[in-house]
Amino acid sequence: MYRFSSVYLDPKGSPIRALYKHLSEPGMISFAGGYPDPQLFDVTGLSAASDRAFENSSACLEYGPTEGTSGLKNALVQLMHERGVLTTPENIIVTTGSQQAFDLVLRVLVEQGDSVFVEQPTYSTNIQAVQAHQAQISAVPVTAEGMDVQALERMLVAASAQGQTPKLLYTIPNFSNPSGATLPVDRRIRLLQLAVQYQFVLAEDDPYGGLRFSGETVPSLMALASQIPGAKDWVVHMSTLSKIVAPGLRVGWAAAPVEILRRCSVAKQTADVGSSPWVQRIAAEYLASGRLNAHLEHICAAYGAKCRALVHGLRHELGEAISFHEPSGGMFVWARLTGDITAAELLTQGIARGVMFVPGEGFQADGVDRFTLRLSFASPSLEEVAQGCRRLGEALVAARAARSKQALPA
Ligand code: PMP
């Protein structure tokens, strides 16, 4: 029959997409996907931006430059500036979501057998992306404060002794998906120093940094890189409008050294010729409208309230049976069941009671910890969050009962 590429012979899909079929079940409360709340989209602002884009439609209905339209690139330079990063349009490529940015970076840097370091846990789709490039993946542990940079250092020393240092390290330093953790500034600085010392590219994925609802902003790796000699050459920063404006735009970008971007642009030609100039125009109009900051304030307040409701609900309904750290932004709570019930067992009982989440295995390169789970508070309403937690409490009782039934002698 078909002679598929070895990478796609029997590919595992995303653990999140595998749960999709349950989403449409009546009354289902989902803590599963990292989907923004559609009630929080700035539809008025986007539709006005779309009208303005349409007024000058002819240019943006044509093919556009592969690396992105100058209008959007200029707006993104401005946005990066507001985030403390000084960059230029030449250092930016517009991508079809930040998902594509990582794919392009992998394409231009990574070959079969190359060493790539990722955090453990990390974003499941990007584990798949690294696997698709047939790299050797090494997992760097994550603590409540993000990547364990001391552990990383030990791994680098060992890798270097064997002549196998990584080409690339993938990290999500702000409100990580799935851990919710944020890397403190001292660890960021050490990470940058290590990148310079061991000469690997630091792929900084930052979809959630704009969604802080408590505490102080921590400068991005790219912002800090300008303070550390040589570090600017090693940082690729990826971000997106998906979580702060709308994922349906599919507008993301990478800011990186020109040497890397030039190659990403060639790789993008064969991927999609270029991201939609039409949508880029809408995005540029939206950013130029000046509505984003007020919108961010509004959505951060809403996500903060939902996060607190989830944290309260989990503590109240599951008590000692679950442990987690409360995030100060983003969309996720990463939790661990403290007893002998696995996340998969809880999920089975949860789905039967109209609540779902994602078991943690898919977020681990080695997939061995069966007691972790990711809960997103982004899309359910406050009432649904509370109700979902009650259902989780019931699901845990049911999972324990099912377990003791199995244990009974026949
Ligand atoms: N990186 C991370 C960590 C994510 O959570 C996501 C979306 N879930 C992406 C990248 C991709 O986002 P997009 O392609 O919509 O920009």
Side-chain angles (χ1 to χ4, degrees):
M1 263 301 265
Y2 306 116
R3 288 172 288 170
F4 286 113
S5 139
S6 60
V7 175
Y8 288 95
L9 265 183
D10 186 20
K12 277 196 281 162
S14 144
I16 303 155
R17 296 212 165 227
L19 292 169
Y20 261 26
K21 55 179 188 286
H22 299 291
L23 263 184
S24 52
E25 289 171 19
M28 178 62 77
I29 295 174
S30 176
F31 295 126
Y35 285 27
D37 182 346
Q39 305 290 328
L40 296 176
F41 293 146
D42 181 6
V43 177
T44 313
L46 282 169
S47 95
S50 169
D51 289 348
R52 284 194 299 281
F54 194 66
E55 278 161 22
N56 186 5
S57 58
S58 54
C60 62
L61 293 176
E62 191 49 272
Y63 286 113
T66 302
E67 62 280 5
T69 63
S70 57
L72 181 57
K73 290 213 293 179
N74 287 331
L76 293 174
V77 165
Q78 177 62 30
L79 181 63
M80 293 289 289
H81 188 74
E82 286 167 28
R83 293 178 175 181
V85 176
L86 290 178
T87 186
T88 68
E90 290 67 48
N91 290 93
I92 293 215
I93 185 168
V94 175
T95 53
T96 303
S98 54
Q99 192 61 53
Q100 185 182 50
F102 189 55
D103 184 61
L104 298 178
V105 170
L106 288 173
R107 286 201 208 189
V108 306
L109 282 166
V110 175
E111 289 172 89
Q112 181 172 9
D114 282 345
S115 165
V116 171
F117 282 17
V118 302
E119 290 163 310
Q120 172 121 311
T122 192
Y123 173 45
S124 52
T125 309
N126 281 345
I127 298 179
Q128 287 171 245
V130 178
Q131 283 166 344
H133 284 82
Q134 299 177 288
Q136 279 296 117
I137 305 187
S138 301
V140 187
V142 163
T143 69
E145 299 210 295
M147 193 195 304
D148 181 343
V149 178
Q150 283 185 348
L152 168 68
E153 195 164 348
R154 289 192 294 275
M155 288 169 69
L156 288 168
V157 170
S160 155
Q162 293 174 356
Q164 252 277 8
T165 51
K167 265 191 178 172
L168 181 81
L169 184 147
Y170 171 66
T171 177
I172 312 165
N174 291 322
F175 322 123
S176 176
N177 177 6
S179 75
T182 294
L183 196 68
V185 75
D186 55 333
R187 288 199 196 182
R188 291 184 192 220
I189 288 171
R190 188 70 196 123
L191 185 51
L192 287 159
Q193 289 166 339
L194 290 171
V196 177
Q197 183 181 345
Y198 290 93
Q199 312 243 302
F200 56 83
V201 168
L202 258 179
E204 172 179 46
D205 194 7
D206 189 23
Y208 301 102
L211 296 182
R212 176 176 284 279
F213 38 75
S214 62
E216 293 296 312
T217 302
V218 185
S220 64
L221 291 168
M222 184 159 260
L224 290 167
S226 55
Q227 298 170 19
I228 294 160
K232 269 170 101 171
D233 296 337
W234 295 105
V235 181
V236 173
H237 178 99
M238 300 172 287
S239 192
T240 178
L241 296 186
S242 288
K243 312 294 175 172
I244 57 169
V245 182
L249 291 169
R250 309 304 305 126
V251 170
W253 68 96
V258 170
E259 277 289 278
I260 297 177
L261 277 197
R262 186 163 65 80
R263 291 169 172 84
C264 287
S265 184
V266 175
K268 187 169 162 68
Q269 282 165 15
T270 60
D272 64 2
V273 181
S275 298
S276 158
W278 171 239
V279 175
Q280 288 182 68
R281 175 89 201 204
I282 296 173
E285 290 286 353
Y286 184 76
L287 293 174
S289 74
R291 293 175 68 98
L292 183 62
N293 285 341
H295 174 66
L296 279 176
E297 244 177 70
H298 171 60
I299 66 175
C300 287
Y303 287 136
K306 289 180 191 222
C307 179
R308 286 188 294 279
L310 178 62
V311 163
H312 172 80
L314 291 176
R315 290 197 177 127
H316 191 256
E317 305 295 339
L318 291 123
E320 303 277 284
I322 196 164
S323 75
F324 57 87
H325 296 280
E326 184 170 350
S328 36
M331 297 186 163
F332 306 106
V333 169
W334 177 247
R336 180 159 229 291
L337 297 173
T338 55
D340 59 352
I341 300 297
T342 64
E345 287 174 291
L346 184 67
L347 180 63
T348 305
Q349 299 297 338
I351 288 173
R353 285 159 185 79
V355 65
M356 58 192 215
F357 57 83
V358 191
E361 279 160 77
F363 301 99
Q364 302 162 43
D366 62 15
V368 292
D369 187 341
R370 297 181 303 135
F371 296 93
T372 49
L373 56 149
R374 189 194 75 176
L375 299 132
S376 169
F377 46 82
S379 47
S381 67
L382 285 174
E383 295 71 34
E384 286 169 337
V385 170
Q387 174 69 1
C389 290
R390 280 194 288 278
R391 290 180 188 173
L392 282 178
E394 290 158 16
L396 184 65
V397 173
R400 284 178 179 147
R403 192 46 106 65
S404 46
K405 219 174 181 180
Q406 276 170 15
L408 285 179

